[in-house]
Amino acid sequence: MKRKSLVLPAVAGLLMSALTACGGTDGSGSDGDALVLGSTDGIEATKEAPAPLDPDLAYDFASWSVLHNTFQTLMRLPRSGTEPIPDAAEKCGFQDRQSEQYRCTLRSGLKFSNGHALTSEDVKFSLERILRINNPNGPVSLLSNVDKVETPSDREVVIHLASPDATFPSKLTTPAAAILDSEVYEPDRLHKGFEMVGSGPYQAKTEVRDNRLTKVNFTKNPHYKGDVEPKADTVEMRFYKTSAELERALVKGDVDVVHRGFSPDQIDRLNRGKVKGVRLFEASGQGIRYLGFNTADRSVKNKAIRQAMAHLVDRQALVRDVYKRTGVPLYSLIPSNVTTHTNSFHNEYGDPDPAAARRVLRQAGIHTPVKLTMTYTTDHYGPETAQEFKELKRQLNDSGLFSIKIKGVRWAEFRPKLIKREYPVYGMGWLPDFPDPDNYIAPFLTKDNFLNSPYRNSVIQDELIPKTRQEAQRALASKDFQSIQNAVADDVPYLPLWQGNTYVAARENITGAEYAYDSSTTLQLWELGRGAGG
């Protein structure tokens, strides 16, 4: 998923450490009893994306943070850990050894927040709807393997897959598989605007200005039936224009938790104790940043150009000088803290080596300097993105082998144009949809990949990915995942740059911050509450 920036833990809560800051002033807290979260994320309705909170279109960190707390799915991830457990379902499981037929029994008496009954027909409607709408900007690729859905009774659902997929239960934990009210949502078009009807632990009311979400008010859903027990009856999610404004709100006490949006400099200030009564939770993360290539574009079609860039990029400098060590260098699409990771790019290219880059270009008969434009989004990953691309430009141009120009574009324009393959080289980030190495491979390398990349590798697509998905014991797929990572390092359709650490800032009276995210780095509002004095 294109969710990212400062990212969250492989197993939320297990790696976290709390750092108590001091100094600053006390704040009076939020209005009423609402627990307030703040971020600089933006959610807006545009011509290209008129339904930012429709699960069949929403595919970014900010939107999924809202949807995950409002909608139910058949399965969900536990407080910590990676093994899916039932959510709207009472029980689920494969009915065959090939992992092609998945059967679920729903909980009894399920209802949506509007009081409508939730039955197996709503599950069938929801799964078929995302496939029918098939929006290229949405998460349809997660469920594209669904072949047929049957409903033997009001509480039974049988999902037939076109090919074996041991990761399918994990895919059912994502908002892509959100269960929608078939009496509210239309079967063949998006639900425009910002209103939602779900059956999750919270019901949400949105506030909008100029087609942009400014606040979401979450209140306990009285019709919710499930194992989740919200710690706070009311939660507000507020969106701030700048990280400086967000920091002032935290210092003043108008915000209780900052789950996203602080810059590396701000994190450093919190770490050094500049805000009284605030704890900073830190962990290694699973989110990655990378360069993507339109391998059909003549400017980068020859892989020698991409390989030369891989020889030149200095990841250590990016992490040290731009991101102030809030991340670590990354040498594969699969992060270093995810099973099956291998340092394929370092094994292939080693440390930055201009002589090796020059040799690769010369042997391919490519004249230098190679002229390229690298495009990044200005308002989706934080203000440091511009500095990151200036540093990348400097590194490449200083070699004398490239003449790089950079261009910043707003996310609302960037994402649709990327899908149309208008950028030869672009910067993106990724947070996992579910905690499995497959989710760092398949979304990028299958024919229906979410970036609409033209890159094709028949061995990866037709042999290795299907083999990994047949392994219910995921560790047994390690060898095939390593082969995929090595092939990516050789062809360079993507160039991994770094993976970010995780940071959550919370006032001292807030409980549950260490469990704010599940193992796929999706926000769990129900874990947050107020302790003594709150």
Side-chain angles (χ1 to χ4, degrees):
M1 178 177 97
K2 47 185 182 298
R3 315 180 295 135
K4 47 258 106 196
S5 191
L6 297 177
V7 275
L8 292 146
V11 181
L14 296 183
L15 304 177
M16 291 261 184
S17 62
L19 306 171
T20 304
C22 57
T25 59
D26 287 316
S28 58
S30 61
D31 295 335
D33 295 324
L35 190 153
V36 180
L37 279 81
S39 85
T40 56
D41 281 325
I43 302 176
E44 63 180 314
T46 64
K47 181 179 179 181
E48 294 82 7
L53 294 179
D54 187 316
D56 292 0
L57 175 64
Y59 201 20
D60 61 88
F61 181 91
S63 298
W64 275 28
S65 294
V66 176
L67 301 182
H68 188 61
N69 294 279
T70 310
F71 291 89
Q72 268 187 305
T73 47
L74 288 172
M75 304 289 285
R76 68 176 179 89
L77 292 170
R79 168 185 271 196
S80 60
T82 62
E83 198 66 34
I85 59 176
D87 186 14
E90 185 177 88
K91 60 180 180 179
C92 285
F94 281 110
Q95 301 300 298
D96 61 337
R97 292 184 178 180
Q98 289 74 37
S99 301
E100 289 184 310
Q101 186 184 113
Y102 199 71
R103 179 182 291 267
C104 292
T105 301
L106 298 180
R107 296 178 187 269
S108 177
L110 289 173
K111 291 183 179 181
F112 292 101
S113 58
N114 59 9
H116 293 174
L118 189 163
T119 71
S120 60
E121 287 297 327
D122 293 296
V123 178
K124 175 182 171 69
F125 166 84
S126 303
L127 294 173
E128 292 178 344
R129 179 180 185 263
I130 190 171
L131 297 174
R132 187 182 300 111
I133 291 176
N134 194 29
N135 191 288
N137 291 310
V140 63
S141 60
L142 287 172
L143 300 175
S144 60
N145 195 31
V146 172
D147 182 48
K148 182 174 63 174
V149 183
E150 297 177 324
T151 54
S153 71
D154 284 349
R155 291 180 56 201
E156 290 182 288
V157 181
V158 182
I159 304 169
H160 298 269
L161 303 180
S163 59
D165 186 2
T167 72
F168 187 67
S170 294
K171 293 174 180 177
L172 290 179
T173 69
T174 71
I179 303 173
L180 310 179
D181 186 347
S182 58
E183 297 182 56
V184 173
Y185 290 81
E186 296 187 67
D188 55 2
R189 66 182 65 182
L190 295 171
H191 193 69
K192 294 183 180 180
F194 295 86
E195 299 308 312
M196 298 163 284
V197 177
S199 60
Y202 287 102
Q203 52 189 350
K205 182 179 180 181
T206 58
E207 295 184 17
V208 180
R209 183 183 301 120
D210 297 328
N211 291 322
R212 191 177 182 90
L213 198 61
T214 58
K215 183 187 296 185
V216 184
N217 295 292
F218 295 93
T219 57
K220 275 188 179 181
N221 177 7
H223 298 293
Y224 169 71
K225 289 196 173 183
D227 292 335
V228 167
E229 298 180 2
K231 307 298 189 299
D233 291 341
T234 308
V235 179
E236 288 182 9
M237 186 181 292
R238 299 178 184 173
F239 301 93
Y240 291 82
K241 292 182 179 180
T242 67
S243 57
E245 184 182 358
L246 177 58
E247 184 178 8
R248 287 194 294 270
L250 179 66
V251 171
K252 186 179 178 181
D254 290 339
V255 165
D256 298 303
V257 179
V258 174
H259 65 292
R260 185 165 162 87
F262 275 165
S263 70
D265 285 335
Q266 290 173 307
I267 290 168
D268 182 59
R269 283 199 294 274
L270 284 168
N271 229 340
R272 289 187 290 110
K274 297 296 183 180
V275 182
K276 182 181 179 181
V278 172
R279 293 181 296 167
L280 183 68
F281 295 85
E282 178 181 3
S284 60
Q286 288 185 307
I288 69 172
R289 292 291 292 274
Y290 60 92
L291 292 179
F293 297 92
N294 176 4
T295 55
D297 190 288
R298 64 181 182 179
S299 64
V300 292
K301 188 173 184 178
N302 192 318
K303 75 175 182 180
I305 295 173
R306 309 191 300 267
Q307 290 174 331
M309 294 176 71
H311 273 297
L312 294 171
V313 168
D314 188 344
R315 296 167 176 83
Q316 295 282 358
L318 286 177
V319 171
R320 180 189 66 238
D321 300 335
V322 178
Y323 289 99
K324 310 296 174 64
R325 305 186 191 280
T326 56
V328 295
L330 179 63
Y331 298 94
S332 170
L333 286 176
I334 299 177
S336 58
N337 55 357
V338 173
T339 180
T340 76
H341 164 86
T342 184
N343 284 322
S344 297
F345 274 82
H346 195 274
N347 295 340
E348 183 77 16
Y349 302 101
D351 295 328
D353 188 344
R358 185 179 299 277
R359 186 166 54 250
V360 167
L361 293 172
R362 184 175 61 247
Q363 290 174 350
I366 295 171
H367 298 291
T368 58
V370 178
K371 296 182 178 180
L372 291 175
T373 297
M374 300 195 304
T375 306
Y376 64 93
T377 176
T378 58
D379 59 340
H380 198 70
Y381 301 122
E384 297 76 27
T385 308
Q387 185 181 349
E388 176 182 10
F389 272 74
K390 288 179 182 177
E391 172 62 16
L392 288 169
K393 173 184 175 181
R394 183 197 66 77
Q395 292 177 9
L396 295 169
N397 287 353
D398 282 358
S399 71
L401 302 175
F402 287 87
S403 176
I404 300 291
K405 294 181 179 180
I406 57 176
K407 181 180 180 181
V409 179
R410 291 186 66 249
W411 178 256
E413 176 186 351
F414 177 85
R415 171 64 177 164
K417 287 189 174 182
L418 187 157
I419 293 297
K420 295 176 183 177
R421 300 180 181 173
E422 295 190 18
Y423 306 134
V425 189
Y426 53 87
M428 279 285 285
W430 180 258
L431 279 170
D433 301 316
F434 54 91
D436 188 281
D438 176 88
N439 198 234
Y440 293 93
I441 296 298
F444 297 89
L445 299 173
T446 56
K447 293 178 181 179
D448 60 351
N449 66 85
F450 86 104
L451 293 166
N452 193 29
S453 169
Y455 174 72
R456 298 289 180 266
N457 184 311
S458 59
V459 174
I460 292 176
Q461 293 174 348
D462 302 334
E463 299 178 25
L464 294 176
I465 290 178
K467 281 182 65 179
T468 65
R469 289 179 170 176
Q470 292 177 27
E471 292 290 357
Q473 298 183 39
R474 305 305 288 152
L476 298 179
S478 293
K479 184 177 180 180
D480 291 325
F481 276 121
Q482 290 173 4
S483 296
I484 293 171
Q485 292 170 84
N486 291 337
V488 170
D490 181 58
D491 286 343
V492 201
Y494 305 99
L495 181 56
L497 299 173
W498 58 277
Q499 67 183 82
N501 295 333
T502 297
Y503 299 91
V504 177
R507 300 198 69 83
E508 285 184 328
N509 65 328
I510 299 301
T511 62
E514 66 269 39
Y515 299 112
Y517 292 88
D518 64 21
S519 54
S520 69
T521 65
T522 303
L523 187 63
Q524 303 179 126
L525 290 179
W526 55 82
E527 293 287 357
L528 299 172
R530 292 189 188 277

